[in-house]
Amino acid sequence: MAGKLIAAGINPDFVITVDPKDVSFDVSRQVIQYSDKLLLVNAYHATNTIIGQWQGPKLYMGVDFLGKIICLICLLQRLL
């Protein structure tokens, strides 16, 4: 999804990955080229294929990802 946004001229601030399956890497492959411009937010179970190739900043959300992502969204809404 982030690759489609970037292609349309919309620059996301971050991407989120939670899927432990390698197919997640196949879906996200095009976004890795923009890793120097995006924050990668990842959960405990995210595939190491994406995390290992990500060159930009990363935010590890731990095991309680859902609760933390809700807090992150609330914080971002306040900033905007």
Side-chain angles (χ1 to χ4, degrees):
M1 179 59 86
K4 290 181 181 182
L5 290 173
I6 293 168
I10 301 168
N11 296 318
D13 295 314
F14 60 92
V15 293
I16 299 172
T17 185
V18 297
D19 194 343
K21 307 285 186 194
D22 285 334
V23 71
S24 178
F25 175 74
D26 295 335
V27 171
S28 304
R29 183 181 311 241
Q30 77 246 13
V31 176
I32 291 177
Q33 66 182 318
Y34 302 107
S35 64
D36 61 327
K37 298 177 178 85
L38 297 171
L39 171 67
L40 176 67
V41 179
N42 67 285
Y44 175 76
H45 292 94
T47 180
N48 288 333
T49 312
I50 294 173
I51 296 168
Q53 292 190 29
W54 196 263
Q55 298 297 310
K58 301 173 200 157
L59 177 62
Y60 170 67
M61 298 299 282
V63 178
D64 182 26
F65 182 77
L66 183 57
K68 291 177 182 176
I69 198 67
I70 291 170
C71 291
L72 179 62
I73 290 169
C74 290
L75 175 64
L76 290 172
Q77 286 177 338
R78 289 183 195 162
L79 294 174
L80 298 175

